[in-house]
Amino acid sequence: MEEYDVLLITTNEPGVNPRKAYHKEMEIRSLLDTLGLKVAFHIPFTVKDENPNTYIGPGQAEEAARIASETGCSSVVINAFITAREELNLEKIFSLEVMDRENVILSIFLRNAHSKEALLQIEKAQAEYLRPRLRGRILNLEQQRGGVRGAKGLGERMIELDRRKLDRRINAIDKELEKIERVRETQKKDRTENSVFSFALVGYTNAGKSSIMNALTKADVLIEDKLFATLDTTTRKLRLENGETVLLSDTVGFIEDLPHRLISAFSSTLNEALSASALIIVQDLESPNSYENFLTTLNTIKELGAEDKIKLLVLNKVDREYDDYNTIRLKNYGYEYVVTSVKENIGMVELVEKLERITDENETTIELKTPLDGSIFSKIRKGDTIISTTYKEDALYIKIRIKKSYIPYYGKLNLE
């Protein structure tokens, strides 16, 4: 992949914790690395109040422009969410293309999305991002020189569209997504009626969710040491040792300060967490910010209203160097945990055992008294297990292993 030298600008409020500032810098560098972009020079700025014209101060902008010129950078990346006006003014000062944090993440999503739904969601997010920038883009199209070819990822064809055409396209995409959502709801209903227990692997991006998915289900999910390598939700069946067949889903990774429009754009993907029976948080121990990343994941799950579904914390990549203090904090947070390494096959058996226990906690054994004609057998739900049957003079007595949620259903079939 061809690399381009960029000037990276990071901004922090006065008195910010140095560790937090470092974490933000490493994260944006990882995002740029995913795009194949090389940071030629980094400028950390302290920003007390956002300037409505240039986000950073005018003096800071001039200083950064001088450095960009001296170092021969081909574009500028600012790790902040900036307005269309601020972006346009900065591009005039730099005479270079300027990408903000949202643009960088959008570009990655565009590159890594594959399913029809994901591509539609990305296109909508792009259109919404580009709409307020149309006028400035069109007026300055001929003035733009150099820049990061292909990295912007917002589609030059959209630059030529006016706001009305964009609005029509956004409305059309919404209708297509509504159709896909109706299909999803039908599939979800079928899973519920068939009593299929489901797990969703959630966690910070690049935590190792796809590796665990592949190891457990022998799936062929893409694995890359890059942020947002997985965007499309993958679901596979997993047969446990207790005889239970469950569904396991690999979901899009979380990240700190994920643009709001991308949360909306991937709401259906993130809603896998809401529809799953239980959540498994996968946390990368190797990351120096493992505890902060865990908190970001936890806060996102809380925003989704699915905190009560968290059943297990997987502390992954234990074969690599990790921060003992962060690991202790994770272990003591309060969730049941298992320490794993897919590469070294550490903790994988224990992980499966814990999944079995979680499914067992969702089940119970009941005894029904039913008519002797055996009509009960056609009414037993798929996935429930008959333990024993006893014929007596007055009735047929049958013991069944069922999901707890089906107790009311079976109660109606009981003669007593």
Side-chain angles (χ1 to χ4, degrees), residues 208-264:
K209 300 185 296 297
S210 297
S211 296
I212 290 177
M213 176 85 164
N214 287 347
L216 293 180
T217 67
K218 310 304 180 184
D220 189 22
V221 180
L222 173 68
I223 299 176
E224 286 189 281
D225 189 20
K226 294 181 178 180
L227 301 189
F228 294 121
T230 300
L231 291 181
D232 301 309
T233 300
T234 302
T235 302
R236 295 287 187 270
K237 289 183 178 180
L238 173 62
R239 179 79 172 179
L240 301 177
E241 292 296 326
N242 62 2
E244 184 84 14
T245 296
V246 300
L247 296 179
L248 187 63
S249 295
D250 181 18
T251 61
V252 61
F254 303 137
I255 192 172
E256 189 174 357
D257 292 333
L258 183 66
H260 179 73
R261 90 175 84 241
L262 282 182
I263 293 179
S264 299

Side-chain angles (χ1 to χ4, degrees), residues 338-351:
V338 57
V339 179
T340 64
S341 166
V342 176
K343 182 179 180 181
E344 300 297 331
N345 195 30
I346 298 174
M348 300 307 293
V349 173
E350 184 181 358
L351 172 57

Side-chain angles (χ1 to χ4, degrees), residues 313-380:
L313 174 60
V314 177
L315 303 179
N316 196 31
K317 304 182 184 179
V318 70
D319 57 302
R320 306 182 186 181
E321 293 186 8
Y322 57 88
D323 186 306
D324 288 329
Y325 177 62
N326 278 340
T327 303
I328 291 174
R329 296 170 77 189
L330 289 167
K331 289 181 177 180
N332 292 334
Y333 194 86
Y335 291 115
E336 184 174 1
Y337 67 87
V338 57
V339 179
T340 64
S341 166
V342 176
K343 182 179 180 181
E344 300 297 331
N345 195 30
I346 298 174
M348 300 307 293
V349 173
E350 184 181 358
L351 172 57
V352 173
E353 291 174 350
K354 289 185 180 294
L355 297 185
E356 291 174 353
R357 186 162 70 249
I358 293 172
T359 58
D360 286 342
E361 291 172 354
N362 185 58
E363 297 180 339
T364 188
T365 300
I366 62 171
E367 183 175 48
L368 299 179
K369 179 182 178 182
T370 69
L372 286 167
D373 59 12
S375 59
I376 182 64
F377 294 109
S378 64
K379 299 176 183 178
I380 294 176

Side-chain angles (χ1 to χ4, degrees), residues 244-294:
E244 184 84 14
T245 296
V246 300
L247 296 179
L248 187 63
S249 295
D250 181 18
T251 61
V252 61
F254 303 137
I255 192 172
E256 189 174 357
D257 292 333
L258 183 66
H260 179 73
R261 90 175 84 241
L262 282 182
I263 293 179
S264 299
F266 276 81
S267 60
S268 58
T269 300
L270 296 178
N271 276 338
E272 284 293 332
L274 291 178
S275 63
S277 307
L279 302 185
I280 305 170
I281 295 181
V282 180
Q283 181 54 57
D284 173 12
L285 289 181
E286 183 186 25
S287 170
N289 307 298
S290 58
Y291 188 72
E292 289 83 354
N293 293 351
F294 165 74

